[in-house]
mmCIF file of all heavy atoms in Angstrom:
data_model
loop_
_atom_site.group_PDB
_atom_site.id
_atom_site.type_symbol
_atom_site.label_atom_id
_atom_site.label_comp_id
_atom_site.label_asym_id
_atom_site.label_seq_id
_atom_site.Cartn_x
_atom_site.Cartn_y
_atom_site.Cartn_z
ATOM 1 N N GLY L 1 7.722 61.393 41.737
ATOM 2 C CA GLY L 1 7.644 60.590 40.582
ATOM 3 C C GLY L 1 6.841 59.333 40.707
ATOM 4 O O GLY L 1 6.441 58.731 39.708
ATOM 5 N N TRP L 2 6.564 58.939 41.968
ATOM 6 C CA TRP L 2 5.794 57.750 42.239
ATOM 7 C C TRP L 2 4.272 58.005 42.288
ATOM 8 O O TRP L 2 3.889 59.011 42.914
ATOM 9 C CB TRP L 2 6.193 57.065 43.536
ATOM 10 C CG TRP L 2 7.556 56.313 43.456
ATOM 11 C CD1 TRP L 2 8.760 56.829 43.824
ATOM 12 C CD2 TRP L 2 7.754 55.006 42.983
ATOM 13 N NE1 TRP L 2 9.755 55.913 43.587
ATOM 14 C CE2 TRP L 2 9.171 54.780 43.065
ATOM 15 C CE3 TRP L 2 6.943 54.001 42.430
ATOM 16 C CZ2 TRP L 2 9.720 53.589 42.688
ATOM 17 C CZ3 TRP L 2 7.533 52.798 42.061
ATOM 18 C CH2 TRP L 2 8.913 52.596 42.119
ATOM 19 N N SER L 3 3.488 57.069 41.704
ATOM 20 C CA SER L 3 2.030 57.214 41.754
ATOM 21 C C SER L 3 1.385 55.817 41.679
ATOM 22 O O SER L 3 2.079 54.885 41.267
ATOM 23 C CB SER L 3 1.533 58.110 40.621
ATOM 24 O OG SER L 3 1.764 57.523 39.411
ATOM 25 N N ALA L 4 0.140 55.759 42.011
ATOM 26 C CA ALA L 4 -0.583 54.447 41.963
ATOM 27 C C ALA L 4 -2.039 54.792 41.542
ATOM 28 O O ALA L 4 -2.567 55.890 41.775
ATOM 29 C CB ALA L 4 -0.573 53.761 43.296
ATOM 30 N N SER L 5 -2.683 53.771 40.958
ATOM 31 C CA SER L 5 -4.084 53.908 40.552
ATOM 32 C C SER L 5 -4.740 52.554 40.619
ATOM 33 O O SER L 5 -4.061 51.495 40.544
ATOM 34 C CB SER L 5 -4.202 54.491 39.157
ATOM 35 O OG SER L 5 -3.608 53.612 38.197
ATOM 36 N N ILE L 6 -6.052 52.549 40.766
ATOM 37 C CA ILE L 6 -6.877 51.341 40.777
ATOM 38 C C ILE L 6 -8.137 51.590 40.002
ATOM 39 O O ILE L 6 -8.706 52.673 40.084
ATOM 40 C CB ILE L 6 -7.143 50.851 42.224
ATOM 41 C CG1 ILE L 6 -7.939 49.535 42.208
ATOM 42 C CG2 ILE L 6 -7.917 51.900 42.987
ATOM 43 C CD1 ILE L 6 -8.060 48.870 43.560
ATOM 44 N N ASN L 7 -8.508 50.595 39.191
ATOM 45 C CA ASN L 7 -9.794 50.660 38.450
ATOM 46 C C ASN L 7 -10.419 49.238 38.544
ATOM 47 O O ASN L 7 -9.954 48.359 37.798
ATOM 48 C CB ASN L 7 -9.563 51.062 37.057
ATOM 49 C CG ASN L 7 -10.820 51.098 36.225
ATOM 50 O OD1 ASN L 7 -11.961 51.104 36.781
ATOM 51 N ND2 ASN L 7 -10.734 51.125 34.875
ATOM 52 N N ALA L 8 -11.359 49.055 39.385
ATOM 53 C CA ALA L 8 -11.954 47.744 39.597
ATOM 54 C C ALA L 8 -13.444 47.781 39.457
ATOM 55 O O ALA L 8 -14.112 48.653 40.073
ATOM 56 C CB ALA L 8 -11.591 47.210 40.945
ATOM 57 N N GLN L 9 -14.066 46.866 38.649
ATOM 58 C CA GLN L 9 -15.487 46.871 38.421
ATOM 59 C C GLN L 9 -15.955 45.426 38.529
ATOM 60 O O GLN L 9 -15.277 44.520 38.056
ATOM 61 C CB GLN L 9 -15.797 47.465 37.038
ATOM 62 C CG GLN L 9 -15.328 48.911 36.916
ATOM 63 C CD GLN L 9 -15.430 49.377 35.476
ATOM 64 O OE1 GLN L 9 -16.044 48.721 34.614
ATOM 65 N NE2 GLN L 9 -14.766 50.482 35.123
ATOM 66 N N LYS L 10 -17.172 45.238 39.067
ATOM 67 C CA LYS L 10 -17.709 43.912 39.276
ATOM 68 C C LYS L 10 -19.246 43.959 39.277
ATOM 69 O O LYS L 10 -19.822 44.886 39.854
ATOM 70 C CB LYS L 10 -17.224 43.257 40.530
ATOM 71 C CG LYS L 10 -17.772 41.838 40.758
ATOM 72 C CD LYS L 10 -17.170 41.187 41.956
ATOM 73 C CE LYS L 10 -17.789 39.820 42.199
ATOM 74 N NZ LYS L 10 -17.642 38.893 41.029
ATOM 75 N N VAL L 11 -19.903 42.982 38.623
ATOM 76 C CA VAL L 11 -21.350 42.793 38.732
ATOM 77 C C VAL L 11 -21.617 41.379 39.181
ATOM 78 O O VAL L 11 -20.804 40.482 39.141
ATOM 79 C CB VAL L 11 -22.054 43.064 37.367
ATOM 80 C CG1 VAL L 11 -21.889 44.525 36.970
ATOM 81 C CG2 VAL L 11 -21.501 42.145 36.311
ATOM 82 N N SER L 12 -22.847 41.205 39.675
ATOM 83 C CA SER L 12 -23.230 39.993 40.346
ATOM 84 C C SER L 12 -23.332 38.830 39.346
ATOM 85 O O SER L 12 -23.126 37.637 39.729
ATOM 86 C CB SER L 12 -24.524 40.186 41.095
ATOM 87 O OG SER L 12 -25.539 40.567 40.216
ATOM 88 N N ASP L 13 -23.720 39.097 38.084
ATOM 89 C CA ASP L 13 -23.983 38.004 37.210
ATOM 90 C C ASP L 13 -23.853 38.490 35.714
ATOM 91 O O ASP L 13 -23.791 39.708 35.474
ATOM 92 C CB ASP L 13 -25.377 37.460 37.448
ATOM 93 C CG ASP L 13 -26.450 38.528 37.342
ATOM 94 O OD1 ASP L 13 -26.940 38.773 36.265
ATOM 95 O OD2 ASP L 13 -26.776 39.088 38.430
ATOM 96 N N ASP L 14 -23.818 37.546 34.815
ATOM 97 C CA ASP L 14 -23.689 37.885 33.396
ATOM 98 C C ASP L 14 -24.754 38.756 32.823
ATOM 99 O O ASP L 14 -24.565 39.489 31.832
ATOM 100 C CB ASP L 14 -23.530 36.552 32.568
ATOM 101 C CG ASP L 14 -22.244 35.837 32.815
ATOM 102 O OD1 ASP L 14 -21.295 36.461 33.307
ATOM 103 O OD2 ASP L 14 -22.213 34.631 32.575
ATOM 104 N N ASN L 15 -26.005 38.617 33.354
ATOM 105 C CA ASN L 15 -27.135 39.310 32.775
ATOM 106 C C ASN L 15 -27.464 40.649 33.395
ATOM 107 O O ASN L 15 -28.529 41.190 33.190
ATOM 108 C CB ASN L 15 -28.374 38.431 32.883
ATOM 109 C CG ASN L 15 -28.237 37.106 32.043
ATOM 110 O OD1 ASN L 15 -27.739 37.165 30.921
ATOM 111 N ND2 ASN L 15 -28.657 36.037 32.601
ATOM 112 N N TYR L 16 -26.600 41.204 34.228
ATOM 113 C CA TYR L 16 -26.871 42.377 34.980
ATOM 114 C C TYR L 16 -27.236 43.565 34.108
ATOM 115 O O TYR L 16 -28.287 44.188 34.272
ATOM 116 C CB TYR L 16 -25.667 42.772 35.877
ATOM 117 C CG TYR L 16 -26.031 43.891 36.889
ATOM 118 C CD1 TYR L 16 -26.523 43.639 38.093
ATOM 119 C CD2 TYR L 16 -25.757 45.205 36.509
ATOM 120 C CE1 TYR L 16 -26.902 44.690 38.987
ATOM 121 C CE2 TYR L 16 -26.082 46.277 37.355
ATOM 122 C CZ TYR L 16 -26.655 45.979 38.573
ATOM 123 O OH TYR L 16 -26.989 46.955 39.449
ATOM 124 N N PHE L 17 -26.444 43.859 33.097
ATOM 125 C CA PHE L 17 -26.695 44.987 32.248
ATOM 126 C C PHE L 17 -27.882 44.722 31.331
ATOM 127 O O PHE L 17 -28.580 45.717 30.969
ATOM 128 C CB PHE L 17 -25.460 45.324 31.468
ATOM 129 C CG PHE L 17 -24.324 45.875 32.309
ATOM 130 C CD1 PHE L 17 -23.093 45.183 32.334
ATOM 131 C CD2 PHE L 17 -24.440 47.043 33.045
ATOM 132 C CE1 PHE L 17 -22.070 45.654 33.117
ATOM 133 C CE2 PHE L 17 -23.395 47.500 33.895
ATOM 134 C CZ PHE L 17 -22.180 46.767 33.863
ATOM 135 N N ARG L 18 -28.157 43.502 30.936
ATOM 136 C CA ARG L 18 -29.230 43.209 30.108
ATOM 137 C C ARG L 18 -30.547 43.329 30.833
ATOM 138 O O ARG L 18 -31.585 43.719 30.275
ATOM 139 C CB ARG L 18 -29.095 41.838 29.440
ATOM 140 C CG ARG L 18 -28.036 41.776 28.332
ATOM 141 C CD ARG L 18 -27.990 40.361 27.698
ATOM 142 N NE ARG L 18 -27.386 39.404 28.631
ATOM 143 C CZ ARG L 18 -26.151 39.124 28.699
ATOM 144 N NH1 ARG L 18 -25.246 39.859 27.955
ATOM 145 N NH2 ARG L 18 -25.614 38.261 29.520
ATOM 146 N N ASP L 19 -30.558 42.954 32.139
ATOM 147 C CA ASP L 19 -31.801 42.998 32.889
ATOM 148 C C ASP L 19 -32.084 44.336 33.491
ATOM 149 O O ASP L 19 -33.307 44.724 33.624
ATOM 150 C CB ASP L 19 -31.706 41.933 34.007
ATOM 151 C CG ASP L 19 -31.801 40.490 33.498
ATOM 152 O OD1 ASP L 19 -32.099 40.346 32.286
ATOM 153 O OD2 ASP L 19 -31.424 39.557 34.180
ATOM 154 N N LEU L 20 -31.077 45.028 33.915
ATOM 155 C CA LEU L 20 -31.251 46.228 34.679
ATOM 156 C C LEU L 20 -30.609 47.391 33.932
ATOM 157 O O LEU L 20 -29.376 47.462 33.754
ATOM 158 C CB LEU L 20 -30.602 46.091 36.070
ATOM 159 C CG LEU L 20 -31.104 44.947 36.920
ATOM 160 C CD1 LEU L 20 -30.249 44.808 38.183
ATOM 161 C CD2 LEU L 20 -32.570 45.169 37.272
ATOM 162 N N SER L 21 -31.448 48.393 33.560
ATOM 163 C CA SER L 21 -30.878 49.600 32.947
ATOM 164 C C SER L 21 -30.078 50.318 34.034
ATOM 165 O O SER L 21 -30.571 50.534 35.093
ATOM 166 C CB SER L 21 -32.002 50.469 32.371
ATOM 167 O OG SER L 21 -32.873 50.789 33.381
ATOM 168 N N THR L 22 -28.837 50.706 33.708
ATOM 169 C CA THR L 22 -27.998 51.303 34.689
ATOM 170 C C THR L 22 -27.520 52.691 34.200
ATOM 171 O O THR L 22 -27.367 52.949 32.978
ATOM 172 C CB THR L 22 -26.751 50.452 34.960
ATOM 173 O OG1 THR L 22 -25.866 51.059 35.892
ATOM 174 C CG2 THR L 22 -25.961 50.114 33.738
ATOM 175 N N ARG L 23 -27.357 53.587 35.167
ATOM 176 C CA ARG L 23 -26.849 54.935 34.842
ATOM 177 C C ARG L 23 -25.354 54.903 34.731
ATOM 178 O O ARG L 23 -24.722 55.946 34.312
ATOM 179 C CB ARG L 23 -27.254 55.911 35.898
ATOM 180 C CG ARG L 23 -26.813 55.545 37.266
ATOM 181 C CD ARG L 23 -27.374 56.409 38.397
ATOM 182 N NE ARG L 23 -27.002 55.880 39.689
ATOM 183 C CZ ARG L 23 -25.809 56.006 40.143
ATOM 184 N NH1 ARG L 23 -24.879 56.560 39.522
ATOM 185 N NH2 ARG L 23 -25.535 55.524 41.382
ATOM 186 N N ILE L 24 -24.684 53.841 35.141
ATOM 187 C CA ILE L 24 -23.188 53.836 35.048
ATOM 188 C C ILE L 24 -22.829 53.295 33.713
ATOM 189 O O ILE L 24 -22.462 52.134 33.523
ATOM 190 C CB ILE L 24 -22.630 52.968 36.204
ATOM 191 C CG1 ILE L 24 -23.209 53.427 37.558
ATOM 192 C CG2 ILE L 24 -21.111 53.083 36.272
ATOM 193 C CD1 ILE L 24 -22.759 52.591 38.710
ATOM 194 N N ALA L 25 -22.827 54.128 32.680
ATOM 195 C CA ALA L 25 -22.716 53.664 31.339
ATOM 196 C C ALA L 25 -21.315 53.117 31.031
ATOM 197 O O ALA L 25 -21.153 52.233 30.196
ATOM 198 C CB ALA L 25 -23.009 54.823 30.343
ATOM 199 N N ASN L 26 -20.299 53.643 31.699
ATOM 200 C CA ASN L 26 -18.951 53.214 31.353
ATOM 201 C C ASN L 26 -18.620 51.750 31.815
ATOM 202 O O ASN L 26 -17.585 51.281 31.558
ATOM 203 C CB ASN L 26 -17.925 54.195 31.886
ATOM 204 C CG ASN L 26 -17.933 54.327 33.389
ATOM 205 O OD1 ASN L 26 -18.786 53.759 34.011
ATOM 206 N ND2 ASN L 26 -16.998 55.065 33.933
ATOM 207 N N THR L 27 -19.506 51.180 32.583
ATOM 208 C CA THR L 27 -19.285 49.766 32.974
ATOM 209 C C THR L 27 -20.129 48.831 32.118
ATOM 210 O O THR L 27 -20.041 47.647 32.311
ATOM 211 C CB THR L 27 -19.648 49.570 34.460
ATOM 212 O OG1 THR L 27 -20.989 49.862 34.671
ATOM 213 C CG2 THR L 27 -18.803 50.425 35.350
ATOM 214 N N ALA L 28 -20.913 49.371 31.271
ATOM 215 C CA ALA L 28 -21.780 48.512 30.381
ATOM 216 C C ALA L 28 -20.925 47.942 29.245
ATOM 217 O O ALA L 28 -21.034 48.393 28.096
ATOM 218 C CB ALA L 28 -22.962 49.295 29.871
ATOM 219 N N GLN L 29 -20.162 46.910 29.540
ATOM 220 C CA GLN L 29 -19.270 46.368 28.523
ATOM 221 C C GLN L 29 -19.114 44.879 28.834
ATOM 222 O O GLN L 29 -19.464 44.391 29.886
ATOM 223 C CB GLN L 29 -17.896 47.049 28.580
ATOM 224 C CG GLN L 29 -17.295 47.200 29.943
ATOM 225 C CD GLN L 29 -16.111 48.118 30.001
ATOM 226 O OE1 GLN L 29 -15.374 48.208 29.032
ATOM 227 N NE2 GLN L 29 -16.023 48.841 31.078
ATOM 228 N N THR L 30 -18.562 44.131 27.830
ATOM 229 C CA THR L 30 -18.445 42.703 28.040
ATOM 230 C C THR L 30 -17.308 42.350 29.052
ATOM 231 O O THR L 30 -17.514 41.423 29.907
ATOM 232 C CB THR L 30 -18.124 42.057 26.733
ATOM 233 O OG1 THR L 30 -19.182 42.349 25.771
ATOM 234 C CG2 THR L 30 -17.941 40.526 26.850
ATOM 235 N N ASN L 31 -16.218 43.051 29.026
ATOM 236 C CA ASN L 31 -15.109 42.765 29.942
ATOM 237 C C ASN L 31 -14.943 43.873 30.936
ATOM 238 O O ASN L 31 -14.640 45.019 30.539
ATOM 239 C CB ASN L 31 -13.819 42.611 29.135
ATOM 240 C CG ASN L 31 -13.836 41.383 28.244
ATOM 241 O OD1 ASN L 31 -13.955 40.282 28.699
ATOM 242 N ND2 ASN L 31 -13.683 41.602 26.950
ATOM 243 N N LEU L 32 -15.139 43.600 32.227
ATOM 244 C CA LEU L 32 -14.983 44.598 33.253
ATOM 245 C C LEU L 32 -13.577 44.436 33.837
ATOM 246 O O LEU L 32 -13.246 43.402 34.354
ATOM 247 C CB LEU L 32 -16.084 44.316 34.349
ATOM 248 C CG LEU L 32 -17.518 44.285 33.882
ATOM 249 C CD1 LEU L 32 -18.506 44.202 35.050
ATOM 250 C CD2 LEU L 32 -17.869 45.558 33.085
ATOM 251 N N PRO L 33 -12.832 45.554 33.845
ATOM 252 C CA PRO L 33 -11.448 45.460 34.311
ATOM 253 C C PRO L 33 -11.288 45.468 35.806
ATOM 254 O O PRO L 33 -12.108 45.980 36.545
ATOM 255 C CB PRO L 33 -10.811 46.720 33.683
ATOM 256 C CG PRO L 33 -11.963 47.670 33.661
ATOM 257 C CD PRO L 33 -13.193 46.873 33.366
ATOM 258 N N ARG L 34 -10.220 44.818 36.273
ATOM 259 C CA ARG L 34 -9.746 44.892 37.627
ATOM 260 C C ARG L 34 -8.259 45.144 37.584
ATOM 261 O O ARG L 34 -7.447 44.231 37.398
ATOM 262 C CB ARG L 34 -10.049 43.579 38.420
ATOM 263 C CG ARG L 34 -11.513 43.225 38.513
ATOM 264 C CD ARG L 34 -11.784 41.910 39.055
ATOM 265 N NE ARG L 34 -13.164 41.505 38.933
ATOM 266 C CZ ARG L 34 -13.692 40.314 39.285
ATOM 267 N NH1 ARG L 34 -12.860 39.399 39.699
ATOM 268 N NH2 ARG L 34 -14.924 40.094 39.108
ATOM 269 N N GLU L 35 -7.882 46.415 37.680
ATOM 270 C CA GLU L 35 -6.572 46.879 37.404
ATOM 271 C C GLU L 35 -5.964 47.666 38.531
ATOM 272 O O GLU L 35 -6.637 48.468 39.149
ATOM 273 C CB GLU L 35 -6.567 47.743 36.113
ATOM 274 C CG GLU L 35 -5.224 48.235 35.678
ATOM 275 C CD GLU L 35 -5.331 49.114 34.504
ATOM 276 O OE1 GLU L 35 -6.345 49.808 34.312
ATOM 277 O OE2 GLU L 35 -4.395 49.139 33.687
ATOM 278 N N ALA L 36 -4.685 47.329 38.814
ATOM 279 C CA ALA L 36 -3.929 48.089 39.794
ATOM 280 C C ALA L 36 -2.574 48.453 39.144
ATOM 281 O O ALA L 36 -1.925 47.559 38.545
ATOM 282 C CB ALA L 36 -3.740 47.313 41.045
ATOM 283 N N VAL L 37 -2.153 49.683 39.315
ATOM 284 C CA VAL L 37 -0.913 50.178 38.659
ATOM 285 C C VAL L 37 -0.055 50.882 39.666
ATOM 286 O O VAL L 37 -0.519 51.793 40.434
ATOM 287 C CB VAL L 37 -1.186 51.120 37.437
ATOM 288 C CG1 VAL L 37 0.101 51.595 36.872
ATOM 289 C CG2 VAL L 37 -2.008 50.387 36.394
ATOM 290 N N LEU L 38 1.211 50.626 39.700
ATOM 291 C CA LEU L 38 2.254 51.372 40.430
ATOM 292 C C LEU L 38 3.230 51.901 39.451
ATOM 293 O O LEU L 38 3.807 51.153 38.656
ATOM 294 C CB LEU L 38 2.931 50.493 41.476
ATOM 295 C CG LEU L 38 4.032 51.202 42.299
ATOM 296 C CD1 LEU L 38 3.469 52.212 43.228
ATOM 297 C CD2 LEU L 38 4.768 50.150 43.142
ATOM 298 N N ALA L 39 3.421 53.240 39.379
ATOM 299 C CA ALA L 39 4.214 53.796 38.320
ATOM 300 C C ALA L 39 5.247 54.774 38.901
ATOM 301 O O ALA L 39 5.056 55.398 39.968
ATOM 302 C CB ALA L 39 3.312 54.604 37.337
ATOM 303 N N TYR L 40 6.363 54.842 38.156
ATOM 304 C CA TYR L 40 7.512 55.781 38.562
ATOM 305 C C TYR L 40 7.951 56.490 37.307
ATOM 306 O O TYR L 40 8.199 55.894 36.269
ATOM 307 C CB TYR L 40 8.641 55.041 39.185
ATOM 308 C CG TYR L 40 9.805 55.908 39.512
ATOM 309 C CD1 TYR L 40 9.718 56.875 40.591
ATOM 310 C CD2 TYR L 40 10.979 55.818 38.790
ATOM 311 C CE1 TYR L 40 10.812 57.653 40.899
ATOM 312 C CE2 TYR L 40 12.077 56.631 39.080
ATOM 313 C CZ TYR L 40 11.978 57.596 40.139
ATOM 314 O OH TYR L 40 13.058 58.412 40.396
ATOM 315 N N THR L 41 8.069 57.837 37.423
ATOM 316 C CA THR L 41 8.485 58.687 36.255
ATOM 317 C C THR L 41 9.748 59.436 36.690
ATOM 318 O O THR L 41 9.770 60.066 37.779
ATOM 319 C CB THR L 41 7.398 59.641 35.843
ATOM 320 O OG1 THR L 41 6.231 58.875 35.486
ATOM 321 C CG2 THR L 41 7.820 60.481 34.674
#
């Protein structure tokens, strides 16, 4: 029943996506998450 997950994203500066076209489309957003979860079912 126990599981864990992590989803952490970071760029060097505010203009990273505007200056550099990136193939990692799912990180091209205003708010980049840093999330850790511990779950029990």
Side-chain angles (χ1 to χ4, degrees):
W2 285 96
S3 65
S5 64
I6 183 171
N7 179 17
Q9 302 168 12
K10 180 175 176 58
V11 294
S12 57
D13 55 86
D14 291 338
N15 295 319
Y16 187 87
F17 293 119
R18 286 184 289 273
D19 291 346
L20 303 172
S21 57
T22 177
R23 58 188 173 74
I24 308 176
N26 60 354
T27 61
Q29 50 192 326
T30 302
N31 294 300
L32 305 184
R34 300 171 188 176
E35 180 183 31
V37 177
L38 179 65
Y40 176 72
T41 301

